[in-house]
Amino acid sequence: MLKREIRRWDLVLLLINSIIGAGIFGLPSKIYALSGIYSIAALLVCAVIVLIIVFNFAEVASRFDKTGGPYLYTLAAFGKIPAFVIGWILLITRISTYAALINLLATYLVYCYPPFQGQIWRAAIISGVTLLLTLINLIGVKSSTRVSNGLAIAKVLPLFIFVIVGFFFIDTSLIQTSQSYPSSGEFATSVLVLIFAFTGFESVLVNTGEIQNPAKNIPFALILSILCVAVFYGLIQVVSMGTLPGLATSNTPIADAAQLFMGSGGGWLITVGAVISISGTLNSVMLVGSRVPYALSEENQFPGIFGRLHRKYQTPTLSLLLFSGVALLGSLSGSFLYALSISVISKILIFLTVCGALIKLRRNKRQPTSYFKLPWGHLFAVGGIFASLWLLFSSKTAELIDVLITTAVGLMLFALYKLYTRKSEEKD
C-alpha cells in the first residue's frame, strides 16, 4: 500500500509546481501580441473558466482516495474502455512533457555554461537528471515531495522579486487604455493560450493514494493554488507591460524586462529561475507519470507486475522504472515531438470527462460518506462541459487526428493484453 505522505501544504506547493512551468517565461509577450492591454481582461476570463473546471475537479476528486486521478474518475463514471483511454493518454502526455522539458533544460544549461554544448553533453545532462529524479522518487514520496516543495519555492522566488522590484519601475504611459480592442478571434486565442498555462493540476490528482485526507485537502489545495497562480500571472503581466516597451516582440519577455530595471543580474536571476522552474516541473511530472502504470495495473488494465511496491520505500518501483526508461528514450531520440501534439486535446478531453463524471456520480446511489459537495454542482458541471467543448472546437484538427491515432494504438495494445491474459487463464 502506498504511503500517505503528501500533506495539505505539500499538495498546494505540488500543484503550484505543476502549473507554473517554463511557459510563464514567454507567456506575457504572447498574449500581449494578441490582445494588448486587454490581455488582463483575457486573463480574468481565463481564470473564471479554469475555476469552473477546478470546482468540478474538487468535488469529483474528493470522492476518491485511491491512486489514479482522472483515470479512476472515468472508470467509476463511464466504465473500463473510456477509463483506459484517459489513462493511456495521461501516460503518453506525461512522457512527452517530460522529454520536451528535459531537452529545454539542457538548452538553458548550455546558455548558462557554453562548454555544455554538443550532443554528448546533452545526452549526459538528460541521462544524469533522469537518473537523479528516478532515485529521488524511488526512495519515497516524502523525499520527492520535499524536493518538489523546495523547487516550487525556488522557482516562485525570482518571479516574486521580479514583480516586487518591477512595480517601482512601471511606466504608466506604456499601459495605454486608448489601445484599440482586439478582434474576437485574437481575444479568444489569448484566452486559449492562457488556459493551458493553468493546466497541470489535473495530473497531480493521480497521486491521490498518497495524499493525506484527500476528501478535505484536495478541494482546499486545488482552489487555493489556482487562485494564487491567477493573481501571480496577473501581476507578472502588469509588470511586463509597464516595464518593457517592446513586449509584443520579445521572445524572453520576463528576462528582458528584468534586465532593463535590474541590470544584467536581473536577466541572470530570471534565467536561473527558468532552470529551477523546469527542474521542479520535471520532478512533478515523474512523480505523477510513474503512478499511472501502477493505477492501471491496480484495475487489471496493465500487467500486474507494475503494481508491485518496493519493500522498504513502498513506491511502485517497476512502474517508476518503466516511466523513467521510456521517458529517457523519448528524450534522447526526439520522438516525443509527435506525442506533444496530443497534449492540448488530451487535457480538454480530461476536463470534459471529469465535468461529465460529476453529473454521473451524483446519480450513483452509493454515495461516499464524506466528500466536498459543490453548491449548484450541476450548473458548474454544465458550465465546465460547455467551456471544454469551446476549447475543443478552438483546437486544431491535426491535433484531434493525432489523438485518435494515439488512442487507436493504445486500444490495440489493451486488446492484445486482454487476449494474452485470457489465454493464460485458460491454460491455468
Side-chain angles (χ1 to χ4, degrees), residues 15-25 27-28 31 39-40 43-44 46-47 50 155-156 159 162-163 193-200 225-241 254 277 281:
L15 285 162
I16 290 173
N17 205 356
S18 297
I19 297 167
I20 302 178
I24 184 59
F25 294 92
L27 188 66
I31 58 173
S39 55
I40 297 297
L43 204 152
L44 181 61
C46 170
V50 171
K155 77 158 65 172
V156 168
L159 293 171
F162 170 82
V163 168
V193 169
L194 282 162
I195 288 285
F196 296 104
F198 280 90
T199 59
S225 60
I226 289 296
L227 288 173
C228 289
V229 169
V231 171
F232 202 44
Y233 281 178
L235 293 173
I236 289 171
Q237 188 65 23
V238 169
V239 171
S240 297
M241 290 191 305
I254 296 179
S277 180
T281 307

mmCIF file of all heavy atoms in Angstrom, residues 15-25 27-28 31 39-40 43-44 46-47 50 155-156 159 162-163 193-200 225-241 254 277 281:
data_model
loop_
_atom_site.group_PDB
_atom_site.id
_atom_site.type_symbol
_atom_site.label_atom_id
_atom_site.label_comp_id
_atom_site.label_asym_id
_atom_site.label_seq_id
_atom_site.Cartn_x
_atom_site.Cartn_y
_atom_site.Cartn_z
ATOM 1 N N LEU A 15 0.933 21.351 -6.578
ATOM 2 C CA LEU A 15 0.057 21.872 -7.628
ATOM 3 C C LEU A 15 0.649 23.119 -8.279
ATOM 4 O O LEU A 15 0.668 23.250 -9.511
ATOM 5 C CB LEU A 15 -1.326 22.184 -7.048
ATOM 6 C CG LEU A 15 -2.215 20.965 -6.769
ATOM 7 C CD1 LEU A 15 -3.352 21.334 -5.819
ATOM 8 C CD2 LEU A 15 -2.775 20.403 -8.064
ATOM 9 N N ILE A 16 1.138 24.045 -7.458
ATOM 10 C CA ILE A 16 1.761 25.262 -7.994
ATOM 11 C C ILE A 16 2.976 24.897 -8.847
ATOM 12 O O ILE A 16 3.204 25.468 -9.916
ATOM 13 C CB ILE A 16 2.146 26.217 -6.848
ATOM 14 C CG1 ILE A 16 0.880 26.806 -6.214
ATOM 15 C CG2 ILE A 16 3.059 27.341 -7.343
ATOM 16 C CD1 ILE A 16 1.127 27.641 -4.963
ATOM 17 N N ASN A 17 3.744 23.915 -8.360
ATOM 18 C CA ASN A 17 4.930 23.459 -9.081
ATOM 19 C C ASN A 17 4.569 22.893 -10.449
ATOM 20 O O ASN A 17 5.284 23.095 -11.438
ATOM 21 C CB ASN A 17 5.638 22.377 -8.259
ATOM 22 C CG ASN A 17 7.112 22.265 -8.582
ATOM 23 O OD1 ASN A 17 7.625 22.934 -9.471
ATOM 24 N ND2 ASN A 17 7.807 21.408 -7.871
ATOM 25 N N SER A 18 3.429 22.190 -10.511
ATOM 26 C CA SER A 18 2.998 21.569 -11.765
ATOM 27 C C SER A 18 2.378 22.578 -12.725
ATOM 28 O O SER A 18 2.488 22.436 -13.940
ATOM 29 C CB SER A 18 1.987 20.453 -11.477
ATOM 30 O OG SER A 18 2.576 19.425 -10.726
ATOM 31 N N ILE A 19 1.713 23.590 -12.182
ATOM 32 C CA ILE A 19 1.035 24.578 -13.034
ATOM 33 C C ILE A 19 2.023 25.592 -13.602
ATOM 34 O O ILE A 19 2.038 25.862 -14.804
ATOM 35 C CB ILE A 19 -0.076 25.300 -12.242
ATOM 36 C CG1 ILE A 19 -1.154 24.302 -11.813
ATOM 37 C CG2 ILE A 19 -0.697 26.414 -13.091
ATOM 38 C CD1 ILE A 19 -2.119 24.851 -10.786
ATOM 39 N N ILE A 20 2.846 26.169 -12.728
ATOM 40 C CA ILE A 20 3.807 27.186 -13.179
ATOM 41 C C ILE A 20 5.025 26.481 -13.760
ATOM 42 O O ILE A 20 5.871 25.986 -13.024
ATOM 43 C CB ILE A 20 4.227 28.122 -12.030
ATOM 44 C CG1 ILE A 20 3.005 28.817 -11.432
ATOM 45 C CG2 ILE A 20 5.244 29.150 -12.529
ATOM 46 C CD1 ILE A 20 3.331 29.732 -10.260
ATOM 47 N N GLY A 21 5.096 26.409 -15.051
ATOM 48 C CA GLY A 21 6.209 25.755 -15.726
ATOM 49 C C GLY A 21 7.061 26.754 -16.482
ATOM 50 O O GLY A 21 7.030 27.966 -16.220
ATOM 51 N N ALA A 22 7.782 26.254 -17.465
ATOM 52 C CA ALA A 22 8.679 27.114 -18.244
ATOM 53 C C ALA A 22 7.902 28.101 -19.107
ATOM 54 O O ALA A 22 8.414 29.161 -19.477
ATOM 55 C CB ALA A 22 9.578 26.243 -19.116
ATOM 56 N N GLY A 23 6.635 27.776 -19.412
ATOM 57 C CA GLY A 23 5.845 28.614 -20.309
ATOM 58 C C GLY A 23 5.637 30.031 -19.824
ATOM 59 O O GLY A 23 5.520 30.955 -20.634
ATOM 60 N N ILE A 24 5.601 30.240 -18.499
ATOM 61 C CA ILE A 24 5.352 31.571 -17.961
ATOM 62 C C ILE A 24 6.426 32.566 -18.382
ATOM 63 O O ILE A 24 6.168 33.761 -18.500
ATOM 64 C CB ILE A 24 5.256 31.522 -16.412
ATOM 65 C CG1 ILE A 24 4.907 32.901 -15.825
ATOM 66 C CG2 ILE A 24 6.531 30.993 -15.797
ATOM 67 C CD1 ILE A 24 3.606 33.464 -16.318
ATOM 68 N N PHE A 25 7.630 32.085 -18.664
ATOM 69 C CA PHE A 25 8.733 32.983 -19.018
ATOM 70 C C PHE A 25 8.588 33.574 -20.430
ATOM 71 O O PHE A 25 9.299 34.501 -20.793
ATOM 72 C CB PHE A 25 10.070 32.256 -18.864
ATOM 73 C CG PHE A 25 10.384 31.908 -17.440
ATOM 74 C CD1 PHE A 25 10.016 30.685 -16.908
ATOM 75 C CD2 PHE A 25 11.019 32.808 -16.610
ATOM 76 C CE1 PHE A 25 10.269 30.360 -15.587
ATOM 77 C CE2 PHE A 25 11.278 32.506 -15.286
ATOM 78 C CZ PHE A 25 10.896 31.278 -14.766
ATOM 79 N N LEU A 27 5.122 33.726 -21.728
ATOM 80 C CA LEU A 27 3.683 33.973 -21.837
ATOM 81 C C LEU A 27 3.307 35.453 -21.982
ATOM 82 O O LEU A 27 2.448 35.785 -22.812
ATOM 83 C CB LEU A 27 2.977 33.374 -20.617
ATOM 84 C CG LEU A 27 1.452 33.370 -20.633
ATOM 85 C CD1 LEU A 27 0.928 32.452 -21.726
ATOM 86 C CD2 LEU A 27 0.908 32.936 -19.270
ATOM 87 N N PRO A 28 3.890 36.389 -21.207
ATOM 88 C CA PRO A 28 3.442 37.786 -21.281
ATOM 89 C C PRO A 28 3.480 38.380 -22.686
ATOM 90 O O PRO A 28 2.561 39.110 -23.075
ATOM 91 C CB PRO A 28 4.424 38.521 -20.353
ATOM 92 C CG PRO A 28 4.816 37.475 -19.353
ATOM 93 C CD PRO A 28 4.910 36.211 -20.153
ATOM 94 N N ILE A 31 0.521 36.759 -25.163
ATOM 95 C CA ILE A 31 -0.850 37.253 -25.028
ATOM 96 C C ILE A 31 -0.938 38.762 -25.269
ATOM 97 O O ILE A 31 -1.968 39.268 -25.730
ATOM 98 C CB ILE A 31 -1.456 36.869 -23.666
ATOM 99 C CG1 ILE A 31 -0.634 37.410 -22.502
ATOM 100 C CG2 ILE A 31 -1.610 35.372 -23.536
ATOM 101 C CD1 ILE A 31 -1.306 37.193 -21.146
ATOM 102 N N SER A 39 -5.075 42.024 -22.555
ATOM 103 C CA SER A 39 -4.607 40.707 -22.118
ATOM 104 C C SER A 39 -4.948 40.483 -20.644
ATOM 105 O O SER A 39 -5.117 39.344 -20.205
ATOM 106 C CB SER A 39 -3.099 40.562 -22.336
ATOM 107 O OG SER A 39 -2.385 41.602 -21.698
ATOM 108 N N ILE A 40 -5.089 41.578 -19.876
ATOM 109 C CA ILE A 40 -5.507 41.459 -18.476
ATOM 110 C C ILE A 40 -6.959 40.959 -18.411
ATOM 111 O O ILE A 40 -7.305 40.112 -17.588
ATOM 112 C CB ILE A 40 -5.377 42.803 -17.740
ATOM 113 C CG1 ILE A 40 -3.907 43.261 -17.706
ATOM 114 C CG2 ILE A 40 -5.939 42.703 -16.331
ATOM 115 C CD1 ILE A 40 -3.001 42.329 -16.935
ATOM 116 N N LEU A 43 -6.997 37.365 -19.203
ATOM 117 C CA LEU A 43 -6.551 36.578 -18.055
ATOM 118 C C LEU A 43 -7.689 36.391 -17.056
ATOM 119 O O LEU A 43 -7.853 35.312 -16.479
ATOM 120 C CB LEU A 43 -5.362 37.272 -17.395
ATOM 121 C CG LEU A 43 -4.429 36.387 -16.574
ATOM 122 C CD1 LEU A 43 -3.024 36.982 -16.562
ATOM 123 C CD2 LEU A 43 -4.913 36.232 -15.143
ATOM 124 N N LEU A 44 -8.499 37.438 -16.880
ATOM 125 C CA LEU A 44 -9.630 37.356 -15.954
ATOM 126 C C LEU A 44 -10.669 36.353 -16.460
ATOM 127 O O LEU A 44 -11.166 35.516 -15.691
ATOM 128 C CB LEU A 44 -10.269 38.743 -15.797
ATOM 129 C CG LEU A 44 -11.459 38.841 -14.830
ATOM 130 C CD1 LEU A 44 -11.040 38.449 -13.416
ATOM 131 C CD2 LEU A 44 -12.043 40.251 -14.844
ATOM 132 N N CYS A 46 -10.118 33.875 -18.489
ATOM 133 C CA CYS A 46 -9.479 32.560 -18.378
ATOM 134 C C CYS A 46 -9.580 32.030 -16.959
ATOM 135 O O CYS A 46 -9.901 30.850 -16.732
ATOM 136 C CB CYS A 46 -8.016 32.660 -18.805
ATOM 137 S SG CYS A 46 -7.060 31.191 -18.433
ATOM 138 N N ALA A 47 -9.304 32.881 -15.976
ATOM 139 C CA ALA A 47 -9.338 32.463 -14.569
ATOM 140 C C ALA A 47 -10.729 31.985 -14.174
ATOM 141 O O ALA A 47 -10.881 30.998 -13.440
ATOM 142 C CB ALA A 47 -8.901 33.614 -13.673
ATOM 143 N N VAL A 50 -11.253 28.503 -15.799
ATOM 144 C CA VAL A 50 -10.457 27.482 -15.097
ATOM 145 C C VAL A 50 -11.059 27.180 -13.731
ATOM 146 O O VAL A 50 -11.122 26.013 -13.305
ATOM 147 C CB VAL A 50 -8.989 27.941 -14.958
ATOM 148 C CG1 VAL A 50 -8.215 26.993 -14.042
ATOM 149 C CG2 VAL A 50 -8.323 27.996 -16.318
ATOM 150 N N LYS A 155 11.421 28.379 -7.529
ATOM 151 C CA LYS A 155 11.007 28.878 -8.843
ATOM 152 C C LYS A 155 10.147 30.138 -8.730
ATOM 153 O O LYS A 155 10.188 31.014 -9.587
ATOM 154 C CB LYS A 155 10.253 27.791 -9.626
ATOM 155 C CG LYS A 155 8.824 27.558 -9.202
ATOM 156 C CD LYS A 155 7.985 26.898 -10.287
ATOM 157 C CE LYS A 155 8.458 25.504 -10.596
ATOM 158 N NZ LYS A 155 7.537 24.803 -11.516
ATOM 159 N N VAL A 156 9.358 30.228 -7.645
ATOM 160 C CA VAL A 156 8.480 31.380 -7.459
ATOM 161 C C VAL A 156 9.260 32.596 -6.981
ATOM 162 O O VAL A 156 8.929 33.741 -7.331
ATOM 163 C CB VAL A 156 7.337 31.034 -6.475
ATOM 164 C CG1 VAL A 156 6.579 32.278 -6.040
ATOM 165 C CG2 VAL A 156 6.379 30.023 -7.102
ATOM 166 N N LEU A 159 10.503 35.117 -9.628
ATOM 167 C CA LEU A 159 9.351 35.789 -10.227
ATOM 168 C C LEU A 159 8.731 36.770 -9.230
ATOM 169 O O LEU A 159 8.257 37.850 -9.615
ATOM 170 C CB LEU A 159 8.309 34.756 -10.662
ATOM 171 C CG LEU A 159 8.744 33.840 -11.818
ATOM 172 C CD1 LEU A 159 7.733 32.714 -12.025
ATOM 173 C CD2 LEU A 159 8.913 34.635 -13.107
ATOM 174 N N PHE A 162 10.874 39.752 -9.253
ATOM 175 C CA PHE A 162 10.572 40.468 -10.499
ATOM 176 C C PHE A 162 9.345 41.359 -10.324
ATOM 177 O O PHE A 162 9.342 42.531 -10.728
ATOM 178 C CB PHE A 162 10.343 39.452 -11.618
ATOM 179 C CG PHE A 162 9.790 40.036 -12.891
ATOM 180 C CD1 PHE A 162 10.630 40.653 -13.805
ATOM 181 C CD2 PHE A 162 8.434 39.950 -13.183
ATOM 182 C CE1 PHE A 162 10.124 41.191 -14.987
ATOM 183 C CE2 PHE A 162 7.922 40.477 -14.356
ATOM 184 C CZ PHE A 162 8.773 41.105 -15.261
ATOM 185 N N VAL A 163 8.299 40.834 -9.694
ATOM 186 C CA VAL A 163 7.056 41.591 -9.505
ATOM 187 C C VAL A 163 7.259 42.733 -8.514
ATOM 188 O O VAL A 163 6.885 43.881 -8.797
ATOM 189 C CB VAL A 163 5.927 40.649 -9.008
ATOM 190 C CG1 VAL A 163 4.724 41.461 -8.530
ATOM 191 C CG2 VAL A 163 5.508 39.697 -10.122
ATOM 192 N N VAL A 193 -4.618 30.330 -25.026
ATOM 193 C CA VAL A 193 -3.207 30.216 -24.642
ATOM 194 C C VAL A 193 -3.074 30.231 -23.122
ATOM 195 O O VAL A 193 -2.323 29.445 -22.529
ATOM 196 C CB VAL A 193 -2.371 31.362 -25.264
ATOM 197 C CG1 VAL A 193 -0.981 31.410 -24.665
ATOM 198 C CG2 VAL A 193 -2.281 31.195 -26.776
ATOM 199 N N LEU A 194 -3.825 31.116 -22.481
ATOM 200 C CA LEU A 194 -3.769 31.228 -21.024
ATOM 201 C C LEU A 194 -4.335 29.995 -20.318
ATOM 202 O O LEU A 194 -3.824 29.585 -19.282
ATOM 203 C CB LEU A 194 -4.540 32.475 -20.576
ATOM 204 C CG LEU A 194 -3.810 33.803 -20.767
ATOM 205 C CD1 LEU A 194 -4.782 34.973 -20.709
ATOM 206 C CD2 LEU A 194 -2.722 33.975 -19.713
ATOM 207 N N ILE A 195 -5.379 29.400 -20.902
ATOM 208 C CA ILE A 195 -5.991 28.210 -20.301
ATOM 209 C C ILE A 195 -4.933 27.148 -20.050
ATOM 210 O O ILE A 195 -4.851 26.555 -18.966
ATOM 211 C CB ILE A 195 -7.093 27.625 -21.213
ATOM 212 C CG1 ILE A 195 -8.336 28.511 -21.214
ATOM 213 C CG2 ILE A 195 -7.453 26.186 -20.796
ATOM 214 C CD1 ILE A 195 -9.184 28.423 -19.958
ATOM 215 N N PHE A 196 -4.087 26.939 -21.033
ATOM 216 C CA PHE A 196 -3.108 25.867 -20.913
ATOM 217 C C PHE A 196 -1.901 26.258 -20.072
ATOM 218 O O PHE A 196 -1.095 25.419 -19.703
ATOM 219 C CB PHE A 196 -2.722 25.369 -22.306
ATOM 220 C CG PHE A 196 -3.899 24.761 -22.999
ATOM 221 C CD1 PHE A 196 -4.562 25.435 -24.006
ATOM 222 C CD2 PHE A 196 -4.396 23.535 -22.593
ATOM 223 C CE1 PHE A 196 -5.681 24.894 -24.606
ATOM 224 C CE2 PHE A 196 -5.518 22.986 -23.180
ATOM 225 C CZ PHE A 196 -6.163 23.655 -24.193
ATOM 226 N N ALA A 197 -1.825 27.551 -19.720
ATOM 227 C CA ALA A 197 -0.817 27.978 -18.744
ATOM 228 C C ALA A 197 -1.277 27.641 -17.330
ATOM 229 O O ALA A 197 -0.488 27.672 -16.390
ATOM 230 C CB ALA A 197 -0.578 29.483 -18.861
ATOM 231 N N PHE A 198 -2.577 27.319 -17.185
ATOM 232 C CA PHE A 198 -3.127 26.942 -15.877
ATOM 233 C C PHE A 198 -3.227 25.433 -15.697
ATOM 234 O O PHE A 198 -3.637 24.972 -14.638
ATOM 235 C CB PHE A 198 -4.538 27.534 -15.713
ATOM 236 C CG PHE A 198 -4.551 28.990 -15.327
ATOM 237 C CD1 PHE A 198 -4.558 29.983 -16.289
ATOM 238 C CD2 PHE A 198 -4.564 29.373 -13.998
ATOM 239 C CE1 PHE A 198 -4.589 31.325 -15.942
ATOM 240 C CE2 PHE A 198 -4.599 30.712 -13.632
ATOM 241 C CZ PHE A 198 -4.604 31.693 -14.616
ATOM 242 N N THR A 199 -2.926 24.662 -16.716
ATOM 243 C CA THR A 199 -3.110 23.218 -16.603
ATOM 244 C C THR A 199 -1.920 22.562 -15.898
ATOM 245 O O THR A 199 -0.883 23.167 -15.716
ATOM 246 C CB THR A 199 -3.288 22.579 -17.993
ATOM 247 O OG1 THR A 199 -2.137 22.849 -18.798
ATOM 248 C CG2 THR A 199 -4.521 23.104 -18.683
ATOM 249 N N GLY A 200 -2.107 21.302 -15.548
ATOM 250 C CA GLY A 200 -1.103 20.555 -14.795
ATOM 251 C C GLY A 200 -1.704 20.047 -13.497
ATOM 252 O O GLY A 200 -1.295 19.014 -12.965
ATOM 253 N N SER A 225 -4.544 26.966 -4.898
ATOM 254 C CA SER A 225 -3.415 27.042 -5.835
ATOM 255 C C SER A 225 -3.800 27.769 -7.118
ATOM 256 O O SER A 225 -3.021 28.587 -7.629
ATOM 257 C CB SER A 225 -2.888 25.637 -6.155
ATOM 258 O OG SER A 225 -3.879 24.834 -6.745
ATOM 259 N N ILE A 226 -5.007 27.508 -7.629
ATOM 260 C CA ILE A 226 -5.447 28.184 -8.855
ATOM 261 C C ILE A 226 -5.618 29.681 -8.620
ATOM 262 O O ILE A 226 -5.225 30.515 -9.455
ATOM 263 C CB ILE A 226 -6.760 27.559 -9.378
ATOM 264 C CG1 ILE A 226 -6.503 26.167 -9.949
ATOM 265 C CG2 ILE A 226 -7.399 28.456 -10.449
ATOM 266 C CD1 ILE A 226 -5.601 26.139 -11.175
ATOM 267 N N LEU A 227 -6.192 30.057 -7.479
ATOM 268 C CA LEU A 227 -6.351 31.486 -7.165
ATOM 269 C C LEU A 227 -4.990 32.169 -7.039
ATOM 270 O O LEU A 227 -4.793 33.283 -7.553
ATOM 271 C CB LEU A 227 -7.153 31.651 -5.875
ATOM 272 C CG LEU A 227 -8.650 31.319 -5.961
ATOM 273 C CD1 LEU A 227 -9.280 31.366 -4.574
ATOM 274 C CD2 LEU A 227 -9.364 32.281 -6.902
ATOM 275 N N CYS A 228 -4.037 31.514 -6.374
ATOM 276 C CA CYS A 228 -2.690 32.079 -6.218
ATOM 277 C C CYS A 228 -2.008 32.257 -7.567
ATOM 278 O O CYS A 228 -1.401 33.304 -7.845
ATOM 279 C CB CYS A 228 -1.835 31.185 -5.326
ATOM 280 S SG CYS A 228 -2.305 31.210 -3.583
ATOM 281 N N VAL A 229 -2.118 31.239 -8.415
ATOM 282 C CA VAL A 229 -1.478 31.302 -9.733
ATOM 283 C C VAL A 229 -2.118 32.402 -10.576
ATOM 284 O O VAL A 229 -1.420 33.142 -11.280
ATOM 285 C CB VAL A 229 -1.572 29.932 -10.451
ATOM 286 C CG1 VAL A 229 -1.151 30.058 -11.912
ATOM 287 C CG2 VAL A 229 -0.697 28.904 -9.746
ATOM 288 N N ALA A 230 -3.447 32.531 -10.516
ATOM 289 C CA ALA A 230 -4.141 33.558 -11.304
ATOM 290 C C ALA A 230 -3.679 34.962 -10.911
ATOM 291 O O ALA A 230 -3.385 35.805 -11.772
ATOM 292 C CB ALA A 230 -5.652 33.429 -11.112
ATOM 293 N N VAL A 231 -3.601 35.225 -9.606
ATOM 294 C CA VAL A 231 -3.138 36.535 -9.122
ATOM 295 C C VAL A 231 -1.686 36.757 -9.541
ATOM 296 O O VAL A 231 -1.320 37.848 -10.002
ATOM 297 C CB VAL A 231 -3.287 36.635 -7.587
ATOM 298 C CG1 VAL A 231 -2.616 37.893 -7.054
ATOM 299 C CG2 VAL A 231 -4.762 36.611 -7.192
ATOM 300 N N PHE A 232 -0.872 35.729 -9.404
ATOM 301 C CA PHE A 232 0.556 35.824 -9.733
ATOM 302 C C PHE A 232 0.757 36.114 -11.217
ATOM 303 O O PHE A 232 1.546 36.987 -11.591
ATOM 304 C CB PHE A 232 1.240 34.515 -9.343
ATOM 305 C CG PHE A 232 2.724 34.645 -9.140
ATOM 306 C CD1 PHE A 232 3.273 35.710 -8.439
ATOM 307 C CD2 PHE A 232 3.595 33.688 -9.644
ATOM 308 C CE1 PHE A 232 4.634 35.829 -8.247
ATOM 309 C CE2 PHE A 232 4.961 33.792 -9.457
ATOM 310 C CZ PHE A 232 5.483 34.858 -8.758
ATOM 311 N N TYR A 233 0.027 35.405 -12.074
ATOM 312 C CA TYR A 233 0.103 35.646 -13.519
ATOM 313 C C TYR A 233 -0.308 37.076 -13.857
ATOM 314 O O TYR A 233 0.292 37.735 -14.710
ATOM 315 C CB TYR A 233 -0.801 34.675 -14.270
ATOM 316 C CG TYR A 233 -0.240 33.275 -14.455
ATOM 317 C CD1 TYR A 233 -0.989 32.287 -15.085
ATOM 318 C CD2 TYR A 233 1.035 32.931 -14.010
ATOM 319 C CE1 TYR A 233 -0.492 30.997 -15.269
ATOM 320 C CE2 TYR A 233 1.542 31.654 -14.183
ATOM 321 C CZ TYR A 233 0.771 30.691 -14.818
ATOM 322 O OH TYR A 233 1.264 29.428 -15.000
ATOM 323 N N GLY A 234 -1.368 37.560 -13.186
ATOM 324 C CA GLY A 234 -1.836 38.918 -13.435
ATOM 325 C C GLY A 234 -0.786 39.960 -13.078
ATOM 326 O O GLY A 234 -0.551 40.913 -13.839
ATOM 327 N N LEU A 235 -0.123 39.786 -11.938
ATOM 328 C CA LEU A 235 0.924 40.719 -11.512
ATOM 329 C C LEU A 235 2.112 40.686 -12.475
ATOM 330 O O LEU A 235 2.674 41.739 -12.822
ATOM 331 C CB LEU A 235 1.382 40.369 -10.095
ATOM 332 C CG LEU A 235 0.346 40.570 -8.974
ATOM 333 C CD1 LEU A 235 0.871 40.028 -7.654
ATOM 334 C CD2 LEU A 235 -0.017 42.054 -8.839
ATOM 335 N N ILE A 236 2.503 39.514 -12.899
ATOM 336 C CA ILE A 236 3.620 39.383 -13.853
ATOM 337 C C ILE A 236 3.279 40.088 -15.160
ATOM 338 O O ILE A 236 4.122 40.794 -15.739
ATOM 339 C CB ILE A 236 3.942 37.896 -14.102
ATOM 340 C CG1 ILE A 236 4.594 37.273 -12.868
ATOM 341 C CG2 ILE A 236 4.863 37.729 -15.316
ATOM 342 C CD1 ILE A 236 4.755 35.770 -12.937
ATOM 343 N N GLN A 237 2.022 39.942 -15.617
ATOM 344 C CA GLN A 237 1.608 40.577 -16.874
ATOM 345 C C GLN A 237 1.634 42.099 -16.762
ATOM 346 O O GLN A 237 2.097 42.795 -17.676
ATOM 347 C CB GLN A 237 0.204 40.095 -17.264
ATOM 348 C CG GLN A 237 -0.261 40.541 -18.642
ATOM 349 C CD GLN A 237 0.565 39.950 -19.763
ATOM 350 O OE1 GLN A 237 1.194 38.914 -19.584
ATOM 351 N NE2 GLN A 237 0.571 40.606 -20.914
ATOM 352 N N VAL A 238 1.147 42.625 -15.642
ATOM 353 C CA VAL A 238 1.121 44.081 -15.441
ATOM 354 C C VAL A 238 2.545 44.640 -15.435
ATOM 355 O O VAL A 238 2.830 45.656 -16.089
ATOM 356 C CB VAL A 238 0.389 44.441 -14.133
ATOM 357 C CG1 VAL A 238 0.596 45.915 -13.788
ATOM 358 C CG2 VAL A 238 -1.096 44.143 -14.256
ATOM 359 N N VAL A 239 3.456 44.013 -14.702
ATOM 360 C CA VAL A 239 4.848 44.479 -14.632
ATOM 361 C C VAL A 239 5.512 44.389 -15.996
ATOM 362 O O VAL A 239 6.238 45.301 -16.417
ATOM 363 C CB VAL A 239 5.641 43.675 -13.580
ATOM 364 C CG1 VAL A 239 7.126 44.011 -13.654
ATOM 365 C CG2 VAL A 239 5.113 43.964 -12.184
ATOM 366 N N SER A 240 5.247 43.318 -16.715
ATOM 367 C CA SER A 240 5.846 43.155 -18.050
ATOM 368 C C SER A 240 5.369 44.243 -18.998
ATOM 369 O O SER A 240 6.160 44.821 -19.746
ATOM 370 C CB SER A 240 5.485 41.776 -18.621
ATOM 371 O OG SER A 240 6.011 40.742 -17.823
ATOM 372 N N MET A 241 4.067 44.547 -18.957
ATOM 373 C CA MET A 241 3.518 45.588 -19.830
ATOM 374 C C MET A 241 4.055 46.960 -19.461
ATOM 375 O O MET A 241 4.288 47.805 -20.341
ATOM 376 C CB MET A 241 1.989 45.597 -19.739
ATOM 377 C CG MET A 241 1.307 44.394 -20.375
ATOM 378 S SD MET A 241 -0.493 44.585 -20.543
ATOM 379 C CE MET A 241 -0.991 44.950 -18.871
ATOM 380 N N ILE A 254 10.163 38.252 -19.694
ATOM 381 C CA ILE A 254 10.455 38.479 -18.272
ATOM 382 C C ILE A 254 11.940 38.740 -18.068
ATOM 383 O O ILE A 254 12.329 39.644 -17.315
ATOM 384 C CB ILE A 254 9.972 37.281 -17.425
ATOM 385 C CG1 ILE A 254 8.449 37.157 -17.524
ATOM 386 C CG2 ILE A 254 10.389 37.437 -15.966
ATOM 387 C CD1 ILE A 254 7.871 35.996 -16.747
ATOM 388 N N SER A 277 12.598 26.308 -12.467
ATOM 389 C CA SER A 277 11.195 26.060 -12.788
ATOM 390 C C SER A 277 11.037 24.772 -13.576
ATOM 391 O O SER A 277 10.165 23.940 -13.287
ATOM 392 C CB SER A 277 10.627 27.237 -13.587
ATOM 393 O OG SER A 277 9.273 27.019 -13.905
ATOM 394 N N THR A 281 9.166 21.222 -12.368
ATOM 395 C CA THR A 281 8.097 20.597 -13.143
ATOM 396 C C THR A 281 8.481 19.182 -13.554
ATOM 397 O O THR A 281 7.638 18.281 -13.552
ATOM 398 C CB THR A 281 7.774 21.444 -14.390
ATOM 399 O OG1 THR A 281 7.520 22.792 -13.988
ATOM 400 C CG2 THR A 281 6.547 20.914 -15.109
#
